[in-house]
Amino acid sequence: MKKPYRPCKRIGCPNISRSDYCPLHLDEKKKEQQHYNKFVRNQKHVEFYNSKEWKRTRNVVMMRDNHMCVKCREDGRMTKADVVDHVIELQDNYELRLTHSNLMSLCHACHNRKTKREQKKRERIIQTERKDK
């Protein structure tokens, strides 16, 4: 069964495709992702997320949370989790990376909301530090 056609995710592109991007923009997106992975992403974190320790711990946490999103369950909804998230982020305390109490199962939407909140909080801290100098 084939996926339905949908608009290319590239802003302003009128083409349709069965994948996220039309053939014209697929290579461009891959190059952007390769650049991000090579120059922007923290390589220490990449190695950690590819480790056997992380994969084992992630599975244990998913089983602990019954493969359900912790945040959705708090709100009375039952949503399948697809991400194991660090409550205290790796960049804030790398030592807690495999601590079960610092990990929770989240659905993609809840994970994105939490990540956005953390980014805004981090930006406010940086702005405050700049003002204090």
Side-chain angles (χ1 to χ4, degrees), residues 18-124:
R18 293 189 194 276
S19 65
D20 290 339
Y21 293 89
C22 70
L24 292 174
H25 297 113
L26 190 59
D27 287 339
E28 187 179 312
K29 186 63 180 173
K30 284 180 184 176
K31 286 179 185 174
E32 287 174 11
Q33 190 66 40
Q34 288 171 343
H35 179 272
Y36 178 82
N37 287 340
K38 188 171 182 179
F39 298 109
V40 179
R41 198 180 291 268
N42 184 321
Q43 292 305 308
K44 182 179 177 182
H45 295 176
V46 171
E47 289 173 15
F48 165 69
Y49 283 121
N50 289 322
S51 72
K52 287 181 183 178
E53 300 163 310
W54 168 247
K55 290 174 183 176
R56 211 173 301 130
T57 302
R58 182 187 184 284
N59 287 335
V60 168
V61 171
M62 282 291 236
M63 287 191 303
R64 178 196 70 192
D65 297 336
N66 296 313
H67 296 269
M68 301 303 287
C69 176
V70 173
K71 294 290 184 185
C72 286
R73 193 171 28 200
E74 287 173 2
D75 295 338
R77 296 186 315 269
M78 298 300 280
T79 309
K80 185 177 186 238
D82 50 10
V83 177
V84 172
D85 183 67
H86 290 87
V87 177
I88 298 170
E89 294 182 24
L90 288 179
Q91 60 195 41
D92 293 333
N93 190 342
Y94 191 74
E95 298 303 314
L96 296 175
R97 67 190 178 279
L98 295 171
T99 306
H100 291 205
S101 60
N102 187 48
L103 299 169
M104 64 180 160
S105 302
L106 296 175
C107 67
H108 199 71
C110 288
H111 180 259
N112 287 346
R113 279 192 293 274
K114 179 187 177 286
T115 301
K116 193 62 119 179
R117 274 194 313 272
E118 292 293 325
Q119 285 174 342
K120 286 181 181 178
K121 186 170 115 180
R122 195 174 304 284
E123 288 171 8
R124 281 194 301 268

